[in-house]
Amino acid sequence: MATSLVAGPQTGVWKELASHAARLQGVPTREIVAADAKRFERFSAEGAGLLLDYTRQRVDERVMEQLSALADAVALKDRIAAMWRGDAINSTEGRAVLHVALRQPRGAAVGGADIEKVVLEERARMLSFAEGVRNGTIKGSSGKAFTLVVNIGIGGSDLGPAMAVEALQEFTAGGPACAFISNVDGCRLADVLAAADPHTTLFIVASKTFTTLETLTNARTARAWLAGKLGEQAVRDHFAAVSVNHQAMNAFGVHPDYRFQMWDWVGGRYSMWSSIGVSLAIAIGRENFEAFLRGGHEMDEHFRSTPWRQNLPALMGLLGVWNINFLKLPTLAILPYDDRMRRFPAYLQQLEMESNGKSVMANGAPALSETAAVIWGEPGNNAQHSFFQLLHQGTPRAALDFLLPARSSCRNQAQHDLAIANCLAQAEAFMAGNPPEAVREELGKQKLSPERLELLVPHKVHQGDRPATLVVFRELDPVTLGRLVALYEHKVFVQSVVWGINAFDQWGVELGKKLAEQLAPAVRDPSGAQVGSAGVMRLLKKIDEWRRSP
Ligand code: F6P
């Protein structure tokens, strides 16, 4: 980002928004909502098959006008064009950011004709491999079809496909089972291997860099297991890989036909559309994977061409800015009312927090405002029975995203209708609350003494004013999941533009990685080792004592 670009806090609109936040302070959301009979018509938008209902946000028409003005003031349109042109908007790494090129159809030339060509070629290779694994024409070393695909990766090389395979379980019939291994402790891998048949297991090592400690450690363990069971020569038939690092894939012994390409212009957390999604493609098949890409592309076109007040990613991003910077809500809870979306909050944690968890702007100057919210969440009804108490009545307050399909993901509409009722009820309750007068009226119907009644009132009051957006869609199918993922990707980009930060690097993850590398030998053998602080050495000694104790 060039230094001449303006960040939101440097604009006059920012001050206007602050004055609107002050104006609305103390006005209950239920009053803002009640004052506008046409609120749903004006505070909802539909695009690319998704409905965004932001009627329960703490905004009125004047705030929305200013949020659109903010998008203009930071030249959001130009920044979108710069991304699509392939400008090096990831300035600290000098890279273009072209995940939008990964989901383009033939002839779209996103990123230019050369990029379109390599993307489509690699997509075709990957999909034909995926189909071969799926239909059993690509087999293991003993001539048997694969029944289990084990993706070994972490972060962006795990979360997207893992989330999507679970979300799209209804579309996986006929394919092998998929397992996802990420953590370095090796326990999940051990569990998966314990139940796996080596003859019918395919491993996919997904790592853009092919240097990631967790992934390589798990991959080596898996390789040793396979070679131990079937012999070294079987490795070539049982390992595929996705990376930019061909040298490392050579060293690992990945067969050239089983290698898939990544590019520097795709960030890990934006990569599930590429061959990093091969496990997903195997799970759901070519047509469904293509539908997923189509959904992403539909959202891209919507984002590029729609005025801000109907533009779903822009609305989401701007409302997030309003909540974080003006209403001072530092967290966003992601609440899917569909159990199959249970990994969606985890997926968004990396997408949003690794992208926008920054405190300097792209030009190196300190950020002028708070940046990314803390993202967390859990499928709806589970959340209701665990942390909703705090959300309704606790002192920390959060903004909320509800995700709601109209149709059941497992053909049990009767039960899903209960999920719908719960979702809508909770969104209303968070918005309107339950004021003291209403609580008194309810309690008045019980035969309570006046003292008892007054004692209970404060405990039963819900303040409301917890702002929520509902993202509603027909059903959780591949095209819709593509739209949803792209919606959040662009939302993150919108916010990065407003805050003037680079959403596409992640230097913050390096320090801990480096320290862990230095510490690893001392952990193995703390006797005489002198790395880390005195406190760390004391801990290591204690850990070692417990490790050795019978
Ligand atoms: O967590 C840091 C990170 O670099 C992520 O950005 C990335 O998705 C993940 O590690 C995995 O990286 P790789 O695909 O190179 O193994």
Side-chain angles (χ1 to χ4, degrees):
M1 188 186 189
T3 42
S4 60
L5 291 172
V6 174
Q10 295 166 315
T11 66
V13 186
W14 200 262
K15 292 190 193 74
E16 287 287 321
L17 282 163
S19 72
H20 285 293
R23 173 175 63 81
L24 291 177
Q25 214 181 16
V27 184
T29 314
R30 59 183 167 271
E31 283 178 20
I32 304 174
V33 171
D36 186 354
K38 289 246 182 311
R39 190 160 171 95
F40 184 83
E41 284 71 18
R42 290 193 286 126
F43 290 75
S44 66
E46 223 178 311
L50 306 181
L51 168 68
L52 198 79
D53 172 5
Y54 58 100
T55 52
R56 292 166 196 79
Q57 291 286 341
R58 283 183 60 68
V59 289
D60 60 9
E61 198 53 48
R62 290 162 74 192
V63 172
M64 291 313 298
E65 274 165 24
Q66 290 304 316
L67 288 174
S68 292
L70 180 63
D72 291 331
V74 297
L76 180 57
K77 201 108 204 125
D78 294 347
R79 304 307 299 150
I80 295 172
M83 181 196 273
W84 255 262
R85 265 197 316 269
D87 290 6
I89 60 172
N90 175 356
S91 52
T92 59
E93 296 179 305
R95 290 177 184 165
V97 174
L98 278 170
H99 47 278
V100 291
L102 296 171
R103 49 221 189 199
Q104 65 183 310
R106 188 170 299 283
V110 179
D114 292 348
I115 289 206
E116 180 196 325
K117 185 167 177 290
V118 292
V119 165
L120 295 190
E121 278 173 10
E122 199 59 12
R123 188 192 297 166
R125 273 191 70 228
M126 182 277 274
L127 286 176
S128 101
F129 174 77
E131 281 297 287
V133 172
R134 219 181 130 71
N135 62 31
T137 51
I138 295 180
K139 300 178 199 305
S141 57
S142 15
K144 291 186 177 168
F146 293 112
T147 56
L148 175 65
V149 171
V150 180
N151 187 81
I152 301 177
I154 196 162
S157 299
D158 164 73
L159 285 164
M163 173 277 290
V165 168
E166 226 168 317
L168 299 176
Q169 204 185 312
E170 203 63 16
F171 299 83
T172 58
C178 285
F180 291 86
I181 309 296
S182 52
N183 267 315
V184 79
D185 57 64
C187 295
R188 176 88 188 111
L189 180 60
D191 292 347
V192 168
L193 294 185
D197 174 356
H199 298 280
T200 60
T201 300
L202 172 71
F203 295 94
I204 297 169
V205 186
S207 176
K208 180 177 168 184
T209 56
F210 226 87
T211 59
T212 305
L213 171 83
E214 296 84 346
T215 302
L216 289 189
T217 305
N218 281 319
R220 286 187 196 116
T221 303
R223 191 186 192 288
W225 175 84
L226 189 100
K229 301 272 183 196
L230 303 183
E232 180 65 26
Q233 79 294 341
V235 168
R236 53 172 282 150
D237 292 317
H238 288 260
F239 275 84
V242 188
S243 183
V244 294
N245 187 345
H246 283 275
Q247 222 178 347
M249 288 192 280
N250 281 340
F252 196 88
V254 182
H255 189 285
D257 290 349
Y258 288 11
R259 288 180 196 183
F260 301 96
Q261 180 66 36
M262 283 270 291
W263 301 277
D264 271 350
W265 41 262
V266 186
R269 55 194 172 275
Y270 297 89
S271 66
M272 65 181 294
W273 317 92
S274 72
S275 295
I276 286 289
V278 62
S279 50
L280 173 63
I282 294 171
I284 62 175
R286 179 198 297 271
E287 268 180 35
N288 285 321
F289 191 83
E290 284 172 346
F292 171 71
L293 297 181
R294 201 164 59 245
H297 184 69
E298 275 176 29
M299 185 53 72
D300 294 341
E301 292 303 295
H302 167 85
F303 181 48
R304 275 202 320 158
S305 61
T306 311
W308 305 138
R309 273 305 287 275
Q310 275 79 47
N311 189 314
L312 272 52
L315 283 166
M316 255 194 156
L318 294 166
L319 287 165
V321 166
W322 170 251
N323 286 333
I324 294 164
N325 298 121
F326 298 96
L327 304 188
K328 305 293 177 196
L329 298 172
T331 83
L332 172 66
I334 305 293
L335 306 165
Y337 273 74
D338 185 322
D339 200 64
R340 294 225 168 124
M341 292 184 82
R342 56 186 167 261
R343 295 294 285 159
F344 201 66
Y347 173 76
L348 289 188
Q349 282 177 327
Q350 188 199 13
L351 179 64
E352 297 217 21
M353 297 202 278
E354 199 172 80
S355 294
N356 284 344
K358 313 282 164 67
S359 51
V360 294
M361 294 195 289
N363 62 13
L368 299 168
S369 64
E370 299 86 356
T371 58
V374 173
I375 305 292
W376 56 297
E378 181 67 16
N381 284 68
N382 289 350
Q384 287 175 211
H385 291 272
S386 78
F387 55 76
F388 269 30
Q389 166 62 37
L390 177 144
L391 291 180
H392 281 294
Q393 290 188 311
T395 50
R397 292 205 280 151
L400 317 163
D401 277 4
F402 289 88
L403 298 152
L404 179 65
R407 293 159 71 114
S408 163
S409 292
C410 58
R411 297 181 229 170
N412 185 345
Q413 194 63 35
Q415 280 195 226
H416 185 62
D417 286 348
L418 291 173
I420 296 174
N422 274 272
C423 177
L424 300 182
Q426 291 292 339
E428 283 290 291
F430 280 124
M431 179 276 289
N434 201 16
E437 317 79 71
V439 173
R440 265 193 201 94
E441 201 183 312
E442 278 167 35
L443 289 174
K445 292 174 191 151
Q446 301 169 22
K447 291 196 171 65
L448 299 173
S449 69
E451 298 75 35
R452 177 93 187 128
L453 187 146
E454 281 311 316
L455 185 87
L456 287 178
V457 168
H459 294 279
K460 295 206 157 211
V461 166
H462 291 50
Q463 189 197 340
D465 295 335
R466 275 62 172 166
T469 292
L470 271 78
V471 183
V472 187
F473 43 94
R474 185 175 178 274
E475 68 182 317
L476 185 60
D477 56 10
V479 74
T480 305
L481 190 68
R483 294 161 176 159
L484 284 170
V485 172
L487 167 69
Y488 277 94
E489 284 179 352
H490 293 320
K491 170 221 159 166
V492 167
F493 179 60
V494 168
Q495 295 189 331
S496 74
V497 170
V498 171
W499 295 321
I501 59 181
N502 175 5
F504 303 108
D505 59 12
Q506 58 282 321
W507 300 104
V509 300
E510 296 302 327
L511 178 62
K513 271 192 208 172
K514 210 162 60 191
L515 291 179
E517 271 167 33
Q518 288 165 9
L519 272 176
V523 175
R524 273 192 296 275
D525 179 12
S527 61
Q530 272 316 324
V531 287
S533 64
V536 166
M537 289 314 296
R538 292 287 296 273
L539 275 177
L540 276 183
K541 291 226 156 60
K542 187 68 200 168
I543 289 167
D544 194 42
E545 188 189 311
W546 271 338
R547 233 173 13 186
R548 288 167 192 277
S549 61

